[in-house]
Amino acid sequence: MDDAQAMNHESSDVDRNSSGGAVPQFNEADQPDQPTVDDRSDDEAGAPIDVGILVAHSPGGDVEPLRSFAERMARDGIEELAAATDAAWRIHCADPDSLTDRAPRRPSEFLDEAALHMTKRPYDLVVVVTDVPLTTREERSVEGLASPLARVVVVSTRRLLRTHDRETVRALDSPAVRWNAATLLVHLLGHVFRADHGDGGVMAPFSFDPSRRSVPPFDADITDHLRGIATRIPQADVSRGRLQRLAFHVVSLVRNPGIVAATLLQSRAPLLPFSLPRLSTAAVTPTLILVFSAEAWDVGLNLTNRTAALFAIGSVIAAAVHLLYVQRLTFPRERSQVFTEHMALVNVTVFFILVVAMMGLFILVGSIMLLIEFAVFPPNLMTNWPSLEEPTVGLVDLVRVGAFISTLGVLSGALAGGTENRMALRHLALFRDRP
């Protein structure tokens, strides 16, 4: 979507009235896109939470029913969220965006467009509604997924419309689909607010209930937690210029190490090279030649352990930086004057995922090198090696040579892997793996 489309949106505000209820207001022609005003002062009311609704439809799909569904889902769910967080929520509906095909998608593939709207508008949260299948890392089709780190929720109507036998198709405007979708949205936004399935109420594991006609409430035990998180959701932090943004990334990491570490731990980053075959092939292939090369052995055997370790560490970091910028894995990928803290945290996490992935690639290549050295390489060949002062080659020497060759393999993989951008995006585990 272009800038003009992104700015041409419909908005709705939800304020808290004196009795604690939520008062929804719609129609942008009548309501200016400004924080709503009520009886409380700005300090009491706090900044409103702006939610962007993005409709990503399949090519040739019927757009208006999907857009109406997304708006109705947000309206139905926003009252419970306003009551639980004691905050004003505003909904902004952007113009629909057409996908290139009907293929199943992982939630990370919607992250670029969501990040662009999040920084240009800016929005505090983004909800993407699509009619194509949404899959997890295990290729399991799900109704929706959330990213607490990126503050993005993706909802797919495909699973909501299908019954358990996968033959009957429900109507998009049916009461069962309406209220289950609203419940799913509140459930996923609860994950964004770092609530979990053990918190009960609407946070119980989601399953489609044909008899559902309302949104279950949050348990009273977690409302204080939700309100605390809600006060930190609207962010005015901005950064301009490359040096300022780099410093902003570092400061954001220092202030929020927990969520970055949690996302990194669930990402299974060391296994990422197995999902990117071009990267792994470009790393392993040259090392199969180097391991039988006299020059590689000469250098490896004459390196100090410290030099070999520093070379490996520097190469892993350099490979991660190369992939980060060449594959354009920073968000948003279009230049924006506004840059929020949680988007900086996404970029920091992606960088750390790539660093750990390159470490995994190093271990993969190194294991192959050690296997060849111990099982294939002739054991007596080194006794006649002309460049050795001592004809004995010990275990430490073999490990050092293997590490040196593996380091070259990591650099080769990063430079020549040719990883497709969409493939890399698919495997960035920035979303939870369960609704």
Side-chain angles (χ1 to χ4, degrees):
M1 287 178 283
D2 56 25
D3 294 346
Q5 289 177 320
M7 298 298 294
N8 182 20
H9 63 278
E10 299 177 6
S11 69
S12 62
D13 297 345
V14 175
D15 282 347
R16 305 284 298 160
N17 61 19
S18 59
S19 62
V23 183
Q25 297 177 329
F26 300 91
N27 190 346
E28 186 180 22
D30 300 328
Q31 300 294 331
D33 190 12
Q34 300 173 351
T36 53
V37 180
D38 58 14
D39 297 335
R40 298 173 294 177
S41 67
D42 290 341
D43 291 338
E44 293 174 324
I49 298 176
D50 290 305
V51 182
I53 306 295
L54 307 182
V55 175
H57 61 91
S58 57
D62 200 351
V63 180
E64 284 309 314
L66 188 62
R67 181 170 184 170
S68 298
F69 165 82
E71 294 175 2
R72 184 175 63 246
M73 176 182 66
R75 289 198 302 267
D76 292 336
I78 210 72
E79 184 166 346
E80 175 57 32
L81 290 165
T85 58
D86 197 25
W89 288 66
R90 303 194 303 185
I91 302 171
H92 310 269
C93 298
D95 287 337
D97 184 33
S98 178
L99 301 174
T100 56
D101 54 53
R102 300 173 181 269
R105 280 169 167 77
R106 293 189 183 179
S108 295
E109 296 181 67
F110 297 99
L111 188 56
D112 186 35
E113 191 71 19
L116 180 62
H117 282 78
M118 193 173 284
T119 54
K120 282 194 172 183
R121 182 61 200 147
Y123 300 137
D124 300 307
L125 308 165
V126 169
V127 177
V128 179
V129 180
T130 184
D131 56 354
V132 300
L134 183 69
T135 60
T136 66
R137 284 174 287 177
E138 288 80 17
E139 300 300 332
R140 180 170 53 91
S141 180
V142 292
E143 296 89 350
L145 293 171
S147 172
L149 177 73
R151 298 182 185 171
V152 174
V153 165
V154 182
V155 175
S156 171
T157 61
R158 180 61 65 93
R159 279 290 301 272
L160 290 171
L161 298 182
R162 300 281 177 175
T163 58
H164 290 296
D165 56 15
R166 302 295 178 88
E167 295 181 0
T168 307
V169 179
R170 303 183 182 97
L172 194 61
D173 58 353
S174 66
V177 172
R178 171 184 176 179
W179 291 109
N180 277 278
T183 300
L184 175 63
L185 176 62
V186 175
H187 177 91
L188 294 175
L189 288 174
H191 285 315
V192 172
F193 280 69
R194 304 178 197 176
D196 212 340
H197 290 152
D199 292 321
V202 72
M203 293 310 301
F206 176 80
S207 61
F208 193 98
D209 182 1
S211 63
R212 181 175 282 139
R213 293 299 182 270
S214 63
V215 178
F218 287 97
D219 275 5
D221 295 341
I222 65 167
T223 53
D224 289 341
H225 165 77
L226 295 176
R227 288 168 183 168
I229 296 291
T231 60
R232 301 196 297 268
I233 287 291
Q235 294 177 344
D237 298 286
V238 298
S239 178
R240 302 184 183 187
R242 293 184 179 180
L243 291 179
Q244 291 89 340
R245 288 197 175 187
L246 179 60
F248 187 59
H249 280 77
V250 174
V251 171
S252 299
L253 174 62
V254 171
R255 288 195 296 211
N256 303 272
I259 191 170
V260 173
T263 307
L264 187 61
L265 288 175
Q266 74 176 15
S267 68
R268 292 179 286 185
L271 303 179
L272 186 60
F274 291 101
S275 302
L276 302 173
R278 290 186 182 180
L279 178 70
S280 301
T281 301
V284 172
T285 301
T287 61
L288 296 178
I289 300 173
L290 290 174
V291 73
F292 295 104
S293 168
E295 290 80 4
W297 279 83
D298 280 338
V299 175
L301 290 172
N302 289 283
L303 282 176
T304 63
N305 293 335
R306 181 174 179 272
T307 301
L310 291 177
F311 180 46
I313 294 172
S315 297
V316 164
I317 296 175
V321 171
H322 175 80
L323 289 176
L324 183 70
Y325 287 102
V326 170
Q327 299 299 328
R328 298 181 64 204
L329 297 179
T330 55
F331 299 96
R333 285 187 279 181
E334 291 188 20
R335 294 184 62 85
S336 174
Q337 294 298 319
V338 179
F339 203 77
T340 57
E341 183 175 70
H342 63 281
M343 197 52 57
L345 292 175
V346 171
N347 291 333
V348 170
T349 305
V350 170
F351 172 70
F352 281 126
I353 287 176
L354 291 176
V355 169
V356 177
M358 293 303 98
M359 293 171 60
L361 182 62
F362 176 84
I363 294 173
L364 171 65
V365 179
S367 300
I368 298 174
M369 294 303 100
L370 289 177
L371 178 63
I372 292 176
E373 288 176 354
F374 284 106
V376 179
F377 205 83
N380 297 324
L381 180 62
M382 302 309 300
T383 59
N384 298 318
W385 207 269
S387 61
L388 288 179
E389 295 180 0
E390 298 182 6
T392 303
V393 177
L395 176 62
V396 175
D397 299 316
L398 292 176
V399 172
R400 186 169 61 249
V401 171
F404 170 67
I405 297 175
S406 300
T407 303
L408 297 178
V410 169
L411 290 174
S412 174
L415 294 172
T419 305
E420 294 181 0
N421 181 266
R422 177 173 173 178
M423 180 66 71
L425 280 178
R426 282 179 60 85
H427 294 285
L428 287 180
L430 301 176
F431 284 74
R432 292 171 58 96
D433 219 29
R434 294 178 58 194

